[in-house]
């Protein structure tokens, strides 16, 4: 009997992509394939690509070219496979298959077909698939953390965003399915679940006819997981009902990732944002009043076509006024296939870079001030890493989401994946420092 080929996976992009990678791994292992992290020894390398903005595409292309130069047989999955399927097959003879964002669950069948000599293109034009708790999954995060996808796809059509084109319209999982997966993760010792989708506040709209985030949060409150964190909450979806569910559910963290993108109504209208700027100030103030210990994170795009000095000044004042805990700033990236790609008054990269730097300069002292509030406090910290040289522990408090926010550097002893009390002694712009309380 022929031996099964060995497969390596190279993961690029966001945590939504990461969950796809974890399901691909789970399905391959279940089917008896050897999955190896060493690309050099593998018969096939699956590259789960990102195509969100130009920089992400460049990283994906670099990875593919390096593997092609090493004469590897490449299976390309993810957003770039969805976006550029024909070009990838034309330009990379080493690509033995391209698999779209709604087709990764067919990976075992794809490998079998490739093994029989077929060059496979498995890309649904309109992705409709979403994995549930029955699909095997091999987690790639640190042992205490797991991402949990509540929905996939997006019904909004923001002018700059290619995601609906790549991921399809929103499709939500049932509350029962999500709770069952959360219970499975709790049994594996997970301490923190991060709820993700393109727009978490719209969760359930397609399935139940109205958003059901409040009901989902209350149901997850019954699962034995210390931290439930929400990502990608559109401000308009943070209704009194959702805020009440956050207040009433102790394990739902008062952490909100609000992808605001801009503050000026004209720019938001040009971006085709769903609420177009009328309510940003009001909603943020409402949130801060209702949840006084709320940790607010947001992202902004500077340099959207037509953004004037006056528009940018509005954004600067907005950032100064609201004192967000964490801010990410991106320069506009023109994506072919989106309305913003053809808009007039595109800004030079130099101006966009200068605006990004100016905004970060305003935010840094604010981030420092917010971090310094933790000094002299004893906080719960999830221990995730240990420096092998120094023995120093590295973890996060509930104020910090993985990958995007800061870390806490800790003296003392604790088990990886455990949650311990840490006395905070110092802070800088991004990180905190402290020691384990016995």
């Amino acid at each position: 009997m022929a031996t099964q080929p060995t497969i390596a996976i190279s993961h690029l992009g966001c945590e939504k992509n990461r969950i796809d990678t974890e399901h691909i791994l789970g399905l391959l292992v279940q089917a008896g394939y050897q999955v190896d992290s060493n690309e050099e020894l593998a018969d096939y390398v699956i590259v789960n690509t990102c195509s969100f903005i130009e920089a992400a595409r460049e990283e994906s292309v670099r990875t593919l070219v390096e593997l092609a130069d090493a004469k590897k047989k490449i299976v390309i999955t993810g957003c770039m496979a969805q976006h550029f399927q024909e070009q990838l097959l034309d330009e990379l003879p080493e690509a033995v298959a391209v698999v779209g964002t709604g087709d990764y669950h067919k990976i075992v069948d794809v490998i079998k077909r490739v093994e029989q000599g077929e060059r496979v293109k498995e890309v649904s034009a309109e992705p409709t698939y979403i994995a549930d708790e029955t699909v095997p999954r091999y987690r790639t995060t640190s042992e205490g953390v797991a991402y949990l996808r509540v929905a996939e796809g997006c019904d909004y059509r923001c002018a700059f965003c290619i995601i609906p084109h790549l991921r399809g319209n929103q499709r939500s999982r049932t509350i029962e399915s999500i709770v069952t997966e959360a219970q499975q993760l709790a049994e594996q010792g997970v301490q923190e679940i991060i709820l993700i989708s393109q727009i978490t506040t719209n969760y359930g709209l397609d399935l139940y006819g109205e958003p059901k985030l409040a009901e989902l949060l209350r149901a997850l409150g019954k699962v034995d997981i210390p931290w439930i964190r929400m990502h990608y909450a559109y401000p308009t979806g943070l209704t009194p009902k959702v805020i009440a569910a956050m207040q009433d559910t102790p394990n739902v963290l008062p952490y909100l990732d609000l992808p605001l993108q801009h503050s000026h109504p004209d720019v938001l209208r040009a971006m085709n944002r769903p609420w177009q700027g009328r309510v940003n100030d009001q909603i943020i103030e409402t949130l801060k009043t209702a949840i006084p210990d709320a940790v607010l994170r947001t992202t902004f795009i500077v340099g959207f076509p037509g953004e004037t000095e006056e528009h940018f000044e509005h954004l600067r004042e907005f950032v100064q006024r609201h004192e967000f805990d964490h801010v990410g700033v991106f320069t506009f990236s023109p994506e072919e296939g989106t309305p913003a790609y053809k808009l007039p008054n595109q800004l030079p990269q130099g101006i966009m870079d200068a605006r990004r730097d100016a905004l970060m300069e305003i935010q840094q002292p604010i981030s420092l001030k917010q971090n310094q509030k933790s000094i002299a406090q004893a906080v719960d910290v999830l221990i995730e890493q240990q420096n092998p040289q120094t023995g120093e522990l590295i973890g996060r408090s509930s104020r910090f989401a993985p990958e995007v926010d800061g870390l806490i550097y800790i003296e003392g002893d604790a088990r990886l994946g455990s949650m311990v009390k840490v006395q905070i002694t110092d802070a800088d712009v991004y990180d905190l420092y402290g020691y384990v309380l016995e």
Side-chain angles (χ1 to χ4, degrees):
M1 184 178 138
T3 57
Q4 296 271 53
T6 309
I7 300 168
I9 294 198
S10 175
H11 161 80
L12 304 164
C14 67
E15 60 270 40
K16 296 179 256 327
N17 231 22
R18 181 186 288 279
I19 290 180
D20 299 346
T21 297
E22 293 179 347
H23 283 306
I24 289 170
L25 280 166
L27 289 162
L28 290 169
V29 169
Q30 183 189 54
Y33 287 99
Q34 285 290 107
V35 179
D36 197 305
S37 58
N38 188 334
E39 292 166 5
E40 285 175 31
L41 301 177
D43 299 300
Y44 296 96
V45 180
I46 297 172
V47 182
N48 197 6
T49 57
C50 179
S51 191
F52 181 46
I53 56 174
E54 193 173 351
R57 276 201 303 282
E58 283 168 1
E59 186 189 9
S60 295
V61 168
R62 241 189 340 268
T63 305
L64 293 170
V65 168
E66 282 166 14
L67 290 166
D69 288 347
K71 297 288 179 269
K72 284 289 160 196
K73 293 180 192 160
I74 310 168
V75 176
I76 307 171
T77 64
C79 287
M80 205 162 176
Q82 188 76 28
H83 203 172
F84 299 110
Q85 44 198 287
E86 298 299 343
Q87 285 141 283
L88 290 167
L89 287 172
D90 288 349
E91 290 171 26
L92 276 177
E94 295 79 5
V96 292
V98 293
V99 181
T101 57
D103 304 275
Y104 62 86
H105 57 298
K106 302 170 188 166
I107 193 68
V108 172
D109 177 57
V110 167
I111 298 291
K112 284 179 180 160
R113 285 160 64 190
V114 166
E115 281 283 274
Q116 288 161 3
E118 190 184 337
R119 199 174 188 214
V120 179
K121 186 176 99 169
E122 191 64 73
V123 182
S124 300
E126 288 289 323
T128 55
Y129 177 74
I130 181 166
D132 62 18
E133 76 284 4
T134 64
V135 180
R137 178 176 173 190
Y138 184 92
R139 281 196 296 117
T140 59
T141 42
S142 66
E143 55 203 290
V145 181
Y147 292 101
L148 181 48
R149 192 193 328 253
V150 300
E152 171 67 292
C154 183
D155 294 337
Y156 290 149
R157 294 295 181 266
C158 298
F160 53 82
C161 185
I162 195 79
I163 292 299
H165 178 62
L166 303 180
R167 294 262 171 186
N169 285 332
Q170 178 173 301
R171 45 210 186 270
S172 303
R173 294 169 58 182
T174 64
I175 290 175
E176 294 74 17
S177 165
I178 295 164
V179 169
T180 302
E181 187 171 357
Q183 284 163 338
Q184 291 168 356
L185 293 166
E187 283 156 21
Q188 293 166 24
V190 168
Q191 304 283 308
E192 175 181 19
I193 281 177
I194 300 168
L195 306 181
I196 57 165
S197 70
Q198 274 69 24
I199 306 172
T200 305
T201 31
N202 274 8
Y203 162 74
L205 183 58
D206 53 307
L207 198 59
Y208 301 108
E210 59 179 335
K212 289 283 184 183
L213 179 59
E215 291 81 353
L216 176 64
L217 294 177
R218 290 181 189 279
L220 287 170
K222 299 184 176 74
V223 180
D224 186 17
I225 295 258
W227 288 353
I228 293 172
R229 186 185 303 275
M230 214 179 358
H231 272 197
Y232 313 116
Y234 269 55
T236 42
L238 293 167
T239 58
K241 207 168 152 189
V242 172
I243 290 171
M246 291 181 72
Q247 290 166 326
D248 296 346
T249 315
N251 58 349
V252 172
L253 298 176
Y255 177 103
L256 288 166
D257 183 348
L258 312 165
L260 298 177
Q261 311 308 9
H262 212 281
S263 62
H264 198 287
D266 292 354
V267 179
L268 287 160
R269 257 192 300 279
M271 287 178 167
N272 198 30
R273 295 296 278 166
W275 63 94
Q276 301 183 341
R278 292 185 305 276
V279 290
N280 275 354
D281 284 306
Q282 178 193 336
I283 284 181
I284 291 163
E285 291 313 321
T286 303
L287 281 175
K288 285 180 173 176
T289 307
I291 311 171
D293 56 345
V295 175
L296 300 183
R297 168 182 185 78
T298 189
T299 48
F300 296 113
I301 295 170
V302 294
F304 190 79
E307 183 190 54
T308 63
E309 275 299 333
E310 183 196 343
H311 294 148
F312 179 63
E313 189 53 42
H314 188 281
L315 180 57
R316 284 167 57 115
E317 286 170 9
F318 183 81
V319 169
Q320 194 90 57
R321 184 166 68 250
H322 287 300
E323 299 198 327
F324 296 97
D325 294 82
H326 312 292
V327 171
V329 184
F330 298 89
T331 59
F332 170 72
S333 173
E335 297 304 308
E336 207 170 338
T338 64
Y341 185 71
K342 295 197 174 104
L343 283 178
N345 305 317
Q346 303 269 342
L347 274 69
Q349 189 64 44
I351 289 178
M352 295 201 284
D353 291 345
R355 287 181 182 175
R356 179 195 57 210
D357 295 349
L359 209 54
M360 288 312 293
E361 213 170 292
I362 289 170
Q363 177 58 30
Q364 282 174 337
I366 297 170
S367 292
L368 176 61
K369 184 171 105 175
Q370 302 290 31
N371 272 354
Q372 283 171 334
K373 290 177 183 172
S374 297
I375 294 175
Q377 288 184 359
V379 299
D380 289 326
V381 174
L382 179 58
I383 304 296
E384 295 191 287
Q385 305 167 52
Q386 184 164 25
N387 183 320
Q389 273 77 45
T390 63
E392 181 181 48
L393 298 168
I394 303 171
R396 291 178 296 106
S397 71
S398 61
R399 289 192 68 244
F400 297 137
E403 311 286 339
V404 290
D405 298 332
L407 296 167
I408 304 182
Y409 295 89
I410 307 148
E411 300 295 330
D413 291 317
R415 186 174 52 78
L416 288 178
S418 69
M419 206 171 273
V420 297
K421 277 270 184 247
V422 170
Q423 183 74 28
I424 303 300
T425 55
D426 202 2
D428 61 28
V429 169
Y430 297 112
D431 303 315
L432 299 174
Y433 302 86
Y435 60 87
V436 176
L437 289 166
E438 296 307 324

